[in-house]
Amino acid sequence: MDAQGRGRAENIDPADQWVLNPDTGDYELRLSPSAGQSAVPKPRASSTRQGGRGRSAPGRERPRQGERDERREVPGQRRRRVKEPEPGGGGRRKQNPRKSKGRNQSKGKKVLVWTGGTLAFLLVAGCTGGYLYYQHLNDNITSIDDDGAGTGGFSKDRPINVLVMGTDKRSGSGNKGYGDEGSAGHADTTILLHVSKDRTNATALSIPRDMLVDIPDCPTKQEDGSEKVIPGSQNARFNESLGQNDRTPSCTMRTVTKITGIKVDHFMVADFNAVKTLSSAVGGVEVCLAKDIDDPKSHLKLPKGKHTIEGEEALAYVRTRHSVGNGGDLSRIELQQQFLSSLMRKLKSSDTLSNPKKMFSLAEAGTEALTVDSKIADIMKLKNLGMELGKLDMKNLSFTTVPVIDTPGEKVHATVVPAPGKAEQLFAMMRADESLTAVKKKQKKEKAAVAARLKGPKADAADVRVDIYNGSGKTGAAQTTLTWLQNTEGVLKSSQLGNAPSVIKKTTLEYAPDQADQARRLADIMGLSGGALKPGKSVKNAQGLPTMKLTLGGDFKGAGVPIDVPTKAPKDLKKVEADKTVCAE
């Protein structure tokens, strides 16, 4: 049965039972002339597979005895039970309170775009939360434990980091012909989506599968509930962080954190079928080629120019590499970034948002394609995440790739390593919430005001009075900084008062207005950015004299090492901006 057919009531296409309410921006059940609000169509009863692996989604036949269900598999996959929906007035959908037309309709559409579009895999939450039967879609979602590798969940008051993984596992209908049928499902395509704290910008960072990294030890929950520590690997390909040695997505999360210093909130995994079903659900994705492509490996043959592709052809497009760029994986990554940008523009179009059939297809395809961490394996949680992502303007989303160089000393350039300096510069920008694109004027003004804190007269080092606290989590940081300031920099009126009440991410310097010249001198000495300076009140030191308060944070790298965060991207960094069309070369 096709995706649109699931959940039909009395042979009526579900999309024909729903209409867009212009007052709220939500889809609602069509009202019958002779009856009140229609009941939500109920999916057929689910059944539980043996071993507690999960439930079959409505309308899908269970595999016969001895057969293998190859619908979706990723390493360590474990199905979950979701709660039955609470009673809601006899199955009737609650009416949303009426709201002003223009603003709320625009807001509703924006949420639909982003919850239906985060890197083409977060395709469900907002576009289904208001009008689809939650239980059916919840049953579609597969989840795996994050094994404590994540933050525990995204928050509205801090940046959001989602790890999206495309595996090379060949399970699923029509996928065995792509070669390497026995693949365990490695991290073939991996993108770390970082959304800024103020939701004005985002960076989608592609991590090359053949980049050499150190994979850490990975505590992993087993089927029986026990925990097994899977040993790490030194100097291994990044794609081995998933699938190899029974590693699960939580191990890829740990590896990404080790590489970038960024703690991930959630992960999402999709296989080959995701590209096929999602591209078809939107009616095809437009791509542009600067030259002909004839790739015998991916079986893609397209002349130069613009094309609208979907299904098998779309999958062939994102898999091709031998006819683009230098024929390697890095060129394929650029092609995938261009494809995702185009797909997101298609999702944003009114042709998609105003078409109930497309929205239903996206809801089904998205939930079927996803495997997510258990902390977000619920439609309502996905919707909440989508609401946050919906605040982002797509023109401020940049796709880029970890800067790399060929592995030194390798005769055949089959692997790469992070480019010295450039890679860490990009990671530092992401950790500091710096955008790769121009953001709105308000934020520019705020940044200018912060930078202005560093401008003005500076006191002599001998006149700087400061108390130092250790909030970095690094043992002895306050004492080593004190020794360095006194013995090397001449900041003699300084003292260290041990650990701060809690560990903080960024170093801060608090001072009173009449201490601004001292603050600027200490910032100059320590390499502090204007954002680290916090005008306010001074404190009293042991002698009762007013003093500044320096709290070392997680960005502290050592006494004498500048803490300043770069505000510009590495030179020659390639990026694809999501709102612009780029022709693949």
Side-chain angles (χ1 to χ4, degrees), residues 196-271:
S196 67
K197 178 180 178 179
D198 63 7
R199 310 297 187 249
T200 62
N201 63 89
T203 299
L205 178 69
S206 292
I207 303 176
R209 66 176 190 178
D210 294 323
M211 186 173 75
L212 296 183
V213 300
D214 290 339
I215 301 173
D217 292 344
C218 297
T220 308
K221 187 177 292 185
Q222 304 300 298
E223 289 289 342
D224 60 3
S226 63
E227 184 180 278
K228 174 184 177 182
V229 177
I230 300 176
S233 300
Q234 304 296 309
N235 219 34
R237 278 181 166 88
F238 172 78
N239 72 339
E240 294 179 7
S241 65
L242 177 65
Q244 196 79 6
N245 301 325
D246 295 326
R247 294 186 178 110
T248 67
S250 67
C251 195
T252 308
M253 290 178 79
R254 297 183 195 277
T255 304
V256 169
T257 298
K258 187 175 180 65
I259 296 169
T260 65
I262 297 172
K263 189 84 168 180
V264 182
D265 297 307
H266 300 287
F267 68 74
M268 298 183 176
V269 184
D271 61 14

Side-chain angles (χ1 to χ4, degrees), residues 397-408:
L397 166 64
S398 297
F399 288 86
T400 191
T401 306
V402 176
V404 294
I405 59 173
D406 289 329
T407 302

Side-chain angles (χ1 to χ4, degrees), residues 464-499:
V464 173
R465 186 180 288 111
V466 62
D467 284 343
I468 307 168
Y469 293 82
N470 183 10
S472 69
K474 302 176 177 69
T475 303
Q479 181 59 49
T480 57
T481 299
L482 175 68
T483 302
W484 170 71
L485 286 174
Q486 291 185 339
N487 296 342
T488 306
E489 301 298 327
V491 183
L492 302 179
K493 297 177 182 179
S494 53
S495 59
Q496 70 93 3
L497 300 182
N499 292 331

